[in-house]
């Protein structure tokens, strides 16, 4: 039978463990809060990257369509230039030349149209800009994913600390949580600072 001294020691040990468990529970709550932030930011960055990828693809398709039309018109203008030499009279030559000039103007507009911003030159610049924005969103997404993984590991380590009573696990969990916060910060403020293969 346990004596009063042993009962007191057991009670103090239980109170001490309960105090640690409350601290660990608070740490779990904080890490879970940051996990929610990183998951939300990650989903948002992923959605943005998908949307930008679609826009970039559409812009490159428009660029390709302009290239095909430009090539077709260039071939037609060259063929008509050959017909110009064999035109039967000046009226026919003038009509052919008018059509050739119109096609050449359209070819030049397909190459660059600063007014409408839909020439090949402008479309290329737009598509490349969209690709850069997409890559930034993907970089953010990858950093948020790493942060989420760190937070999840931190929560698991905290749970293990409660079960085993090993406070060292809670300290490691706190460190892993800080690492997650660092990756969230990188994702928010410097997504291209760290590259993932």
């Amino acid at each position: 039978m346990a004596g009063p001294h042993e009962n007191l020691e057991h009670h103090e040990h239980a109170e001490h463990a309960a105090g640690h468990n409350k601290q660990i529970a608070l740490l779990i709550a904080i890490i879970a809060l940051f996990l929610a932030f990183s998951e939300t930011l990650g989903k948002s960055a992923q959605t943005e990257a998908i949307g930008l990828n679609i826009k970039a693809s559409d812009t490159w398709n428009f660029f390709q369509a302009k290239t095909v039309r430009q090539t077709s018109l260039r071939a037609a203008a060259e063929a008509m230039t050959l017909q110009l030499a064999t035109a039967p009279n000046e009226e026919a030559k003038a009509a052919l030349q008018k059509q050739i000039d119109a096609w050449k103007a359209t070819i030049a507009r397909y190459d660059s149209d600063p007014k409408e911003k839909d020439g090949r030159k402008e479309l290329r610049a737009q598509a490349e800009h969209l690709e850069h924005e997409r890559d930034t969103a993907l970089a953010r997404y990858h950093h948020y994913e790493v942060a989420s993984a760190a937070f999840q590991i931190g929560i698991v380590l905290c749970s293990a600390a409660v079960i085993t009573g090993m406070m060292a696990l809670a300290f490691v969990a706190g460190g892993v949580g800080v690492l997650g916060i660092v990756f969230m910060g990188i994702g928010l403020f410097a997504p291209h600072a760290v590259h993932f293969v």
Side-chain angles (χ1 to χ4, degrees):
M1 185 170 172
H5 181 65
E6 288 177 12
N7 283 338
L8 182 61
E9 247 182 61
H10 182 70
H11 181 69
E12 284 175 4
H13 181 71
E15 280 184 6
H16 189 68
H20 283 311
N21 287 348
K22 285 180 183 179
Q23 291 171 341
I24 293 171
L26 181 59
L27 181 60
I28 289 173
I30 292 168
I31 293 174
L33 175 67
F34 281 103
L35 174 60
F37 287 146
S38 68
E39 288 288 324
T40 301
L41 289 168
K43 195 59 158 169
S44 176
Q46 184 183 37
T47 302
E48 182 183 3
I50 291 168
L52 288 166
N53 193 49
I54 291 168
K55 286 180 183 177
S57 178
D58 288 348
T59 305
W60 280 120
N61 288 338
F62 195 20
F63 173 88
Q64 282 301 110
K66 288 274 183 166
T67 302
V68 169
R69 284 187 232 146
Q70 185 184 45
T71 303
S72 298
L73 283 180
R74 188 174 283 126
E78 289 170 2
M80 195 169 277
T81 301
L82 294 174
Q83 290 177 1
L84 189 61
T86 60
N89 55 46
E90 290 303 314
E91 188 178 301
K93 282 186 180 183
L96 289 172
Q97 188 61 53
K98 184 178 178 184
Q99 184 60 59
I100 291 168
D101 292 343
W103 281 343
K104 284 185 176 179
T106 302
I107 290 167
R109 197 177 72 248
Y110 281 168
D111 201 44
S112 180
D113 191 353
K115 183 180 176 187
E116 298 295 325
K117 297 192 185 324
D118 67 351
R120 291 175 69 250
K121 180 182 173 185
E122 293 79 16
L123 290 170
R124 175 188 290 275
Q126 288 174 31
E128 288 172 351
H129 175 73
L130 289 166
E131 286 178 334
H132 176 72
E133 293 296 313
R134 175 207 59 203
D135 293 345
T136 298
L138 280 174
R140 282 193 167 103
Y141 168 71
H142 292 307
H143 286 93
Y144 297 142
E145 284 293 294
V146 171
S148 292
F151 295 137
Q152 290 170 6
I153 291 167
I155 290 170
V156 168
L157 289 172
C158 282
S159 300
V162 170
I163 293 167
T164 63
M166 293 175 59
M167 284 305 292
L169 291 174
F171 288 113
V172 173
V176 173
V178 169
L179 183 66
I181 292 170
V182 167
F183 273 98
M184 263 181 65
I186 292 170
L188 276 170
F189 303 112
H192 293 292
V194 179
H195 297 282
F196 293 100
V197 178

